[in-house]
Amino acid sequence: TDSEVNIRKKTFTEVQTERLEQAERTVLIKCPQKLNRKKLLQYLSSHGNINSHFFFENRGVHALIEFSEKDSIASLQDAIGIPSAAEHHVVPFKSRLFTFTLKSTVSQAAEETPVHLSPQSHIPVTELIQKLCRADSISSQMYVLLNEYQLTEENIKLRFLACSLVRDFARAYFPDSTVKPFGSSVNTFGKLGCDVDMFLDFHDTRKHAAKMKKGPFEMEYQMKRLPSERLATQKILSVIGDCLDNFGPGCVNVQKILNARCPLVKFSHQPTGFQCDLSVSNSIAIKSSELLYIYGCLDSRVRALVFSVRCWARVHGLTNSVPGTWITNFSLTMMIVFFLQKRSPPIIPTLDQLKELADEKDKHVIGGYDCSFVSDLSKIKPTKNTETLDVLLGDFFEYFGNFDFRKNSINLRKGKEVNKPESSPLYIWNPFEQDLNISKNVNQPQLEKFVAMARESAWILQKEDKTQRMINKEPWGLAALLMPFGKSNPSKMKNRMKGIGSETIRSLLDSLKLNNANSLQKAVGK
């Protein structure tokens, strides 16, 4: 659609700024059980014009209401009362989360109207597989998967609202602070249900610099000084974590993890249903989010391939929601980006090429690392590559099934395989902090499991008779790759495993057992 083209061409920062501003004009309402949509919207409109709204289910029906003017919220808040339950004492923090119930005097029982609820989670894999089987090509299967899993417009609004509500707390201490999402919520690669990573930002330095030049004095605030930035971060997060824990409506399971490499506060935000991680401004993480945003916007095949490969990896236990020795989604995404840089002609540019296109305002050096790259998408020439996703998916598995991981590392700046600088089983250069390996956590058995699964998948795609499988009502194409392997013919699998060391096979089997036990536990736990 035309509107989508327009959305896509905005820079990362423009989109962020716009959404943060929208979130400040937004409230979240827990609706009465017998809900009359028209009456609710009619009442709310008496406080001001409503820009957009949607309803969703989360232990009862909720409505997200975005007003045109911020003042409308104050007007609405003036009409809202404090809960009067005798058995509870309340913390009198007035947020933008409200509960509406019908007054007993109103007899509206007959007037209940059904509302459309926006889904906030994706369908289970079993249902997805059935949908995929009805598509007509692997390429269309991949777009079906993308459409089922990607964040919706509504879900993104809810994510920015969660940040905006946390910001209201931070502003009690730091009036100029903002809370912004980063990572999968904003990089175009998030799937429905993923956590919200947010960070607290204090610096709007650029606006300020010009004003400071005026006048005869060097002027600065007197501020508390601490021996390290880390300590300051820990203190700030500790206090805001306590604040959310003690006063935050719907903030539960608040955990302060202040000794981590990147100190953070984890909490569940019940009103929006998100699991949130709050940390303090990390410019490099934002740059990574923006880089992925650019790659995701440049060509629709990028996101389609990333979502499909990530789903495949999750199904086969190659990735895991808990940290460990397996490949992370971020590493996997970087491998896919690298693969697409290496096509002939390339589907997306290397980071060095994006850096060459950068102008003055795109220049960013963070902690001694050069993080400059072009932000304006229209300056990047579209690719001449016309390969289908059918080809790309098969070639991805083929490429990494035969990649020389012992010798080579993956470098997205150059878009080339380069000799490994050290002996980690999988070495992927951090695109910005050039002395770091983003996949340092991955061990040999996990890497070899990935290689084995990639070979198996390449083989299935090459050998399968699509028409026959469709006639037999068997999963084909992408659907066949999302089924557990090794069930149909284990001996075939063994032959393709030749050349993988026996000690690795043993630990591979152990990790398979472990994964089955994990997924069993998860299934039982749900």
Side-chain angles (χ1 to χ4, degrees):
T1 59
D2 288 340
S3 67
E4 223 173 283
V5 171
N6 291 337
I7 293 170
R8 278 285 167 250
K9 286 301 170 199
K10 284 179 188 151
T11 70
F12 177 75
T13 314
E14 284 164 356
V15 175
Q16 294 294 89
T17 308
E18 196 172 298
R19 290 204 182 273
L20 284 165
E21 197 273 317
Q22 265 176 357
E24 293 200 9
R25 295 184 268 105
T26 301
V27 301
L28 192 59
I29 296 170
K30 187 170 190 191
C31 299
Q33 273 174 325
K34 299 214 181 316
L35 172 62
N36 180 316
R37 176 174 167 271
K38 195 164 164 211
K39 276 220 159 74
L40 177 71
L41 294 172
Q42 209 170 353
Y43 169 71
L44 290 167
S45 297
S46 71
H47 290 284
N49 183 42
I50 296 174
N51 243 2
S52 75
H53 72 277
F54 65 88
F55 295 91
F56 66 100
E57 164 64 48
N58 170 24
R59 283 180 288 183
V61 173
H62 292 251
L64 179 142
I65 310 286
E66 181 205 324
F67 286 105
S68 309
E69 302 291 334
K70 213 174 163 177
D71 299 348
S72 308
I73 295 180
S75 159
L76 175 59
Q77 280 173 322
D78 280 344
I80 287 178
I82 303 266
S84 56
E87 70 276 20
H88 285 95
H89 280 283
V90 296
V91 172
F93 178 78
K94 294 174 180 171
S95 71
R96 287 176 282 145
L97 300 164
F98 314 127
T99 300
F100 282 24
T101 41
L102 283 172
K103 289 182 176 164
S104 46
T105 50
V106 192
S107 68
Q108 279 185 317
E111 291 192 59
E112 189 178 350
T113 53
V115 294
H116 166 70
L117 299 174
S118 303
Q120 303 301 318
S121 59
H122 61 75
I123 58 174
V125 173
T126 43
E127 253 177 78
L128 175 71
I129 288 175
Q130 290 166 358
K131 273 200 169 174
L132 296 182
C133 290
R134 297 196 284 274
D136 58 1
S137 67
I138 288 180
S139 182
S140 39
Q141 283 183 330
M142 290 167 77
Y143 284 116
V144 168
L145 183 144
L146 177 62
N147 282 319
E148 289 295 337
Y149 274 38
Q150 69 183 343
L151 301 184
T152 58
E153 180 62 24
E154 292 80 16
N155 189 266
I156 293 172
K157 285 188 168 159
L158 208 48
R159 286 167 186 273
F160 275 85
L161 177 62
C163 293
S164 183
L165 293 168
V166 172
R167 189 220 63 183
D168 291 345
F169 274 101
R171 289 206 169 165
Y173 297 98
F174 306 105
D176 309 332
S177 60
T178 52
V179 174
K180 301 176 184 168
F182 69 98
S184 54
S185 297
V186 296
N187 66 16
T188 76
F189 294 100
K191 70 164 181 160
L192 283 171
C194 68
D195 294 355
V196 181
D197 292 308
M198 41 175 89
F199 73 93
L200 195 53
D201 202 4
F202 307 104
H203 339 282
D204 213 356
T205 41
R206 264 176 281 184
K207 274 188 196 155
H208 212 77
K211 289 194 182 133
M212 284 170 60
K213 292 209 176 96
K214 299 203 174 107
F217 302 109
E218 289 286 348
M219 301 178 289
E220 60 181 30
Y221 286 104
Q222 294 179 15
M223 288 178 167
K224 194 168 190 76
R225 293 175 188 267
L226 292 167
S228 72
E229 185 183 12
R230 180 176 173 82
L231 191 60
T233 296
Q234 288 169 326
K235 283 184 186 279
I236 291 166
L237 284 176
S238 182
V239 171
I240 295 196
D242 285 341
C243 203
L244 291 171
D245 199 9
N246 292 311
F247 307 148
C251 294
V252 298
N253 305 331
V254 178
Q255 287 174 285
K256 301 193 285 187
I257 306 170
L258 302 178
N259 289 324
R261 193 176 72 87
C262 177
L264 78 158
V265 175
K266 278 177 120 50
F267 61 97
S268 291
H269 191 255
Q270 281 176 329
T272 55
F274 292 125
Q275 179 60 44
C276 305
D277 285 359
L278 174 69
S279 49
V280 167
S281 173
N282 173 347
S283 317
I284 289 197
I286 312 305
K287 278 293 167 198
S288 299
S289 304
E290 181 174 2
L291 179 64
L292 284 176
Y293 170 86
I294 287 176
Y295 283 139
C297 292
L298 281 180
D299 192 293
S300 65
R301 291 170 292 182
V302 180
R303 294 172 67 238
L305 190 57
V306 168
F307 275 79
S308 294
V309 173
R310 278 186 178 186
C311 182
W312 165 86
R314 200 168 47 255
V315 165
H316 296 295
L318 297 170
T319 54
N320 198 309
S321 53
V322 291
T325 58
W326 25 75
I327 297 177
T328 63
N329 270 326
F330 183 58
S331 292
L332 198 54
T333 305
M334 289 307 186
M335 290 167 84
I336 298 161
V337 165
F338 180 73
F339 166 76
L340 295 172
Q341 290 174 339
K342 298 220 12 121
R343 301 308 285 174
S344 174
I347 292 178
I348 46 180
T350 66
L351 187 47
D352 280 345
Q353 288 165 335
L354 292 178
K355 184 179 158 182
E356 279 166 32
L357 295 168
D359 60 20
E360 268 315 300
K361 71 175 188 319
D362 296 328
K363 297 255 188 289
H364 292 280
V365 176
I366 303 167
Y369 297 106
D370 190 344
C371 301
S372 314
F373 55 85
V374 64
S375 58
D376 179 352
L377 291 159
S378 60
K379 290 188 182 160
I380 305 167
K381 283 197 182 66
T383 176
K384 299 256 194 307
N385 181 306
T386 56
E387 291 175 298
T388 64
L389 281 164
D390 302 48
V391 169
L392 293 171
L393 184 66
D395 283 4
F396 172 81
F397 292 126
E398 181 81 15
Y399 179 73
F400 281 114
N402 296 299
F403 188 90
D404 188 353
F405 287 106
R406 268 175 311 202
K407 179 169 155 277
N408 289 330
S409 66
I410 292 169
N411 187 320
L412 288 99
R413 287 205 86 95
K414 303 187 168 42
K416 282 214 271 287
E417 302 154 10
V418 292
N419 282 339
K420 276 207 278 200
E422 48 102 345
S423 64
S424 298
L426 174 61
Y427 197 104
I428 304 172
W429 297 68
N430 183 315
F432 301 117
E433 298 175 79
Q434 294 242 334
D435 39 10
L436 294 183
N437 170 12
I438 61 173
S439 49
K440 203 175 175 58
N441 62 307
V442 180
N443 65 10
Q444 193 63 29
Q446 286 298 327
L447 177 63
E448 299 205 5
K449 185 178 165 188
F450 169 79
V451 170
M453 295 293 180
R455 286 181 187 173
E456 179 71 0
S457 302
W459 189 87
I460 289 173
L461 291 176
Q462 278 160 16
K463 292 283 179 285
E464 86 173 355
D465 180 345
K466 176 180 147 187
T467 325
Q468 194 54 51
R469 293 196 75 114
M470 288 172 101
I471 293 165
N472 297 350
K473 297 261 183 291
E474 291 176 301
W476 59 275
L478 179 57
L481 301 186
L482 299 182
M483 305 287 286
F485 293 162
K487 296 274 189 294
S488 53
N489 191 339
S491 65
K492 274 189 191 160
M493 181 90 171
K494 285 218 178 63
N495 290 338
R496 287 192 289 285
M497 292 299 190
K498 282 194 176 132
I500 293 183
S502 60
E503 71 289 346
T504 305
I505 292 272
R506 204 168 304 121
S507 44
L508 194 57
L509 289 170
D510 288 344
S511 69
L512 280 167
K513 277 186 207 133
L514 183 72
N515 274 313
N516 288 343
N518 279 351
S519 47
L520 199 65
Q521 230 170 343
K522 271 196 187 153
V524 174
K526 282 209 170 115

